[in-house]
Amino acid sequence: MLSSFRKNTANLELEPSLLNAFMGLGDILSRTREHLAIYDKNGWGGSKFNSYLDFLLPSRVTQQLIRDEQQLSHQLTIILFFFSTSSFIRELHLPAAVAKVDLVSFRPIWNEDVRVFWCDFVGAKVLFAQSDRFLEALRYRFGNQLNDAARQRFFLRLDEFKIGGVAISTLECFVGDDSLEQAVKKFQALDTKRPLAWPLNNEKRLPLLIWVDDRPENNSAIVQFARQAGVCVLEFLSTAFLKAWMEENQDFLRSNDRADSVRFISDTARFETDDQRVAQNNNSYLNIAAGENIARYLRGYSYRAPLLIFCGTGIIYTGYVKSYDATGSTCSPPIVYQYITALSQRRRDDKNWHGYNVVAK
């Protein structure tokens, strides 16, 4: 079926228009999977915290799922349009014309300001902009208002699943009801904000260690050590549940977004689940990019808290840590103990865990 979209029959390279359409579909599917995981009430367990989320999240997530369904429907329509157009052109022996279609006008408009930006700076003939194209569009639109580093962080915020670019639907979701200018200013405010000390009488305990791993039993000794050292440890089995918790507690987290108050540990690959109580079930799937997903999420949302990737043989695939600030990887338990000890002592100056495949000296 895809053969007619190859640039020539001698290789497997697809036409850019179709490739971009499938990349946009991948982005929407990745977000939908997370929203579906959160929507499953049975996955929250029976604690007071989980009951609170059960009460709070469904209406919001239902709205997200409705939007997901609309985006999926329209993206599939675009892909089917490519197929039907290609078939028609092939039968009549006409030159390829799909790339000349105004695809932005082919879909419903959720934010007029985003549509104008996309048509003027990205292009009306594409619904998915690969990284270089989108960064260039930002540079032309915002100039010095967003420097190179800020544009990269803004891109990380939008390309949360490392699809390789940004879909217009993703940008619309980020902007919401604001103008693009307002949304960028809000992003800049978070990107440059210095955290303040949280009141000492806050019920959430500090220092806080947030650990994401589908096999928490493997970390029980280290977790016990951390708690005995006075560190509050929250454990999550799934990236989706971590993100949901962070969204509900973002005021607390942003006010304590310092190495001496909050830190993260994650494995690099894990079986993601739709049930926070069990590590794996029939709906589990292997997320080989779980560690980098967390790194992109934290830095894309302008969190500065340290992240340590702790894993075994998968350490050889953690070179991505070198691309993110305050991020390291190790398979050495002593490094993890030192990382936690520094947190318990409310330190910010420890750097021995920074970098790729760090080992104890």
Side-chain angles (χ1 to χ4, degrees):
M1 183 183 293
L2 296 177
S3 60
S4 62
F5 287 93
R6 296 176 186 170
K7 289 183 176 179
N8 60 68
T9 57
N11 61 52
L12 297 178
E13 187 177 358
L14 296 178
E15 288 290 340
S17 55
L18 181 63
L19 179 62
N20 288 340
F22 275 113
M23 292 175 76
L25 180 63
D27 181 71
I28 297 170
L29 287 171
S30 297
R31 297 176 191 280
T32 303
R33 182 190 288 275
E34 289 201 344
H35 297 158
L36 285 170
I38 298 169
Y39 185 68
D40 180 8
K41 289 186 177 183
N42 295 328
W44 289 112
S47 69
K48 180 179 178 181
F49 162 68
N50 293 337
S51 298
Y52 167 73
L53 285 175
D54 270 346
F55 171 78
L56 183 65
L57 286 176
S59 61
R60 189 185 73 189
V61 178
T62 301
Q63 294 175 350
Q64 290 175 327
L65 288 173
I66 292 172
R67 175 61 68 84
D68 292 337
E69 189 277 332
Q70 293 172 337
Q71 292 178 348
L72 282 170
S73 176
H74 294 304
Q75 194 69 17
L76 288 171
T77 300
I78 293 295
I79 291 173
L80 291 174
F81 168 78
F82 280 138
F83 280 120
S84 61
T85 305
S86 174
S87 177
F88 174 77
I89 291 172
R90 188 173 63 252
E91 290 177 5
L92 296 182
H93 305 286
L94 297 174
V98 174
K100 298 179 181 180
V101 177
D102 183 347
L103 295 176
V104 173
S105 299
F106 194 65
R107 64 187 296 278
I109 298 171
W110 285 312
N111 187 300
E112 176 64 19
D113 195 49
V114 170
R115 187 195 68 80
V116 171
F117 162 76
W118 198 272
C119 290
D120 290 350
F121 295 94
V122 179
K125 300 178 179 64
V126 296
L127 297 178
F128 183 91
Q130 297 196 33
S131 58
D132 292 345
R133 186 171 190 167
F134 185 76
L135 289 169
E136 188 74 359
L138 286 178
R139 186 176 70 83
Y140 280 122
R141 169 61 178 83
F142 292 100
N144 294 331
Q145 184 178 342
L146 283 174
N147 59 31
D148 289 344
R151 284 195 296 272
Q152 287 288 347
R153 289 192 294 271
F154 187 66
F155 176 73
L156 286 179
R157 167 66 178 82
L158 295 175
D159 186 22
E160 190 174 322
F161 300 96
K162 203 180 180 183
I163 301 296
V166 176
I168 185 173
S169 57
T170 302
L171 185 60
E172 284 180 322
C173 288
F174 171 77
V175 174
D177 295 328
D178 293 334
S179 68
L180 182 60
E181 182 84 20
Q182 291 170 326
V184 167
K185 286 182 177 178
K186 287 181 180 179
F187 168 80
Q188 287 179 301
L190 288 176
D191 196 45
T192 58
K193 182 178 180 181
R194 296 179 64 86
L196 303 174
W198 195 259
L200 294 177
N201 61 353
N202 188 278
E203 63 180 359
K204 299 181 178 69
R205 290 180 54 198
L206 293 175
L208 174 63
L209 176 65
I210 299 171
W211 199 320
V212 196
D213 195 321
D214 63 334
R215 292 295 185 187
E217 64 274 13
N218 294 340
N219 310 318
S220 56
I222 303 178
V223 169
Q224 182 180 5
F225 165 81
R227 288 172 174 157
Q228 290 175 345
V231 175
C232 177
V233 183
L234 291 181
E235 298 179 84
F236 294 87
L237 301 176
S238 163
T239 306
F241 286 98
L242 169 66
K243 291 179 181 179
W245 183 86
M246 290 184 66
E247 288 173 8
E248 295 306 319
N249 293 274
Q250 62 176 316
D251 289 341
F252 166 77
L253 289 171
R254 292 199 183 281
S255 296
N256 294 283
D257 188 21
R258 304 181 305 275
D260 62 356
S261 296
V262 177
R263 296 190 179 198
F264 293 82
I265 296 178
S266 173
D267 47 359
T268 191
R270 59 177 161 269
F271 281 94
E272 301 279 16
T273 175
D274 57 2
D275 191 331
Q276 175 61 9
R277 297 166 297 179
V278 296
Q280 294 185 37
N281 58 27
N282 292 334
N283 295 320
S284 298
Y285 67 97
L286 179 62
N287 182 357
I288 61 174
E292 187 167 11
N293 287 162
I294 296 295
R296 292 179 73 84
Y297 178 81
L298 291 177
R299 303 308 172 235
Y301 279 76
S302 301
Y303 286 106
R304 297 176 175 82
L307 168 64
L308 180 63
I309 304 298
F310 179 44
C311 56
T313 56
I315 192 70
I316 61 175
Y317 303 110
T318 62
Y320 57 82
V321 300
K322 295 181 286 187
S323 300
Y324 302 96
D325 295 334
T327 304
S329 66
T330 188
C331 57
S332 170
I335 292 294
V336 182
Y337 280 104
Q338 294 169 17
Y339 180 79
I340 294 173
T341 297
L343 175 62
S344 70
Q345 297 172 350
R346 309 302 293 270
R347 292 171 51 195
R348 306 187 196 182
D349 59 345
D350 60 309
K351 306 291 184 182
N352 64 312
W353 53 271
H354 278 201
Y356 164 68
N357 194 11
V358 178
V359 296
K361 297 179 181 180

Short mmCIF file of all heavy atoms in Angstrom, two decimals, residues 112 130 193 230 258 298 354:
data_model
loop_
_atom_site.label_atom_id
_atom_site.label_comp_id
_atom_site.label_asym_id
_atom_site.label_seq_id
_atom_site.Cartn_x
_atom_site.Cartn_y
_atom_site.Cartn_z
N GLU A 112 -7.21 30.36 15.90
CA GLU A 112 -6.94 31.13 14.70
C GLU A 112 -5.51 31.67 14.69
O GLU A 112 -4.85 31.71 13.64
CB GLU A 112 -7.94 32.28 14.58
CG GLU A 112 -7.71 33.21 13.41
CD GLU A 112 -7.86 32.54 12.06
OE1 GLU A 112 -8.49 31.47 12.00
OE2 GLU A 112 -7.35 33.08 11.06
N GLN A 130 8.90 18.99 11.03
CA GLN A 130 10.05 18.36 11.66
C GLN A 130 10.89 19.42 12.37
O GLN A 130 10.73 20.61 12.16
CB GLN A 130 10.84 17.58 10.63
CG GLN A 130 10.02 16.43 10.04
CD GLN A 130 10.86 15.41 9.31
OE1 GLN A 130 12.00 15.14 9.66
NE2 GLN A 130 10.28 14.81 8.27
N LYS A 193 11.84 31.50 35.81
CA LYS A 193 11.43 31.73 37.20
C LYS A 193 12.39 31.05 38.17
O LYS A 193 12.74 29.89 38.02
CB LYS A 193 10.02 31.18 37.42
CG LYS A 193 9.48 31.42 38.83
CD LYS A 193 8.06 30.88 38.95
CE LYS A 193 7.50 31.10 40.34
NZ LYS A 193 6.12 30.55 40.46
N GLY A 230 15.52 10.43 56.23
CA GLY A 230 14.61 11.56 56.32
C GLY A 230 14.08 12.05 54.99
O GLY A 230 13.49 13.14 54.93
N ARG A 258 14.52 22.67 43.26
CA ARG A 258 15.95 22.83 43.55
C ARG A 258 16.54 21.48 43.90
O ARG A 258 15.84 20.59 44.40
CB ARG A 258 16.17 23.80 44.73
CG ARG A 258 15.55 25.16 44.56
CD ARG A 258 15.86 26.04 45.79
NE ARG A 258 15.44 25.39 47.02
CZ ARG A 258 14.21 25.45 47.52
NH1 ARG A 258 13.26 26.11 46.88
NH2 ARG A 258 13.92 24.85 48.65
N LEU A 298 10.65 16.79 31.95
CA LEU A 298 11.14 17.71 33.00
C LEU A 298 11.73 18.97 32.39
O LEU A 298 11.39 20.09 32.79
CB LEU A 298 12.18 17.00 33.87
CG LEU A 298 11.67 15.89 34.77
CD1 LEU A 298 12.84 15.23 35.51
CD2 LEU A 298 10.65 16.42 35.78
N HIS A 354 26.63 13.53 37.59
CA HIS A 354 26.36 14.13 36.28
C HIS A 354 27.04 13.30 35.18
O HIS A 354 28.17 12.83 35.35
CB HIS A 354 26.90 15.55 36.22
CG HIS A 354 25.99 16.56 36.83
ND1 HIS A 354 26.04 17.90 36.54
CD2 HIS A 354 24.99 16.43 37.74
CE1 HIS A 354 25.13 18.55 37.24
NE2 HIS A 354 24.49 17.68 37.98
#
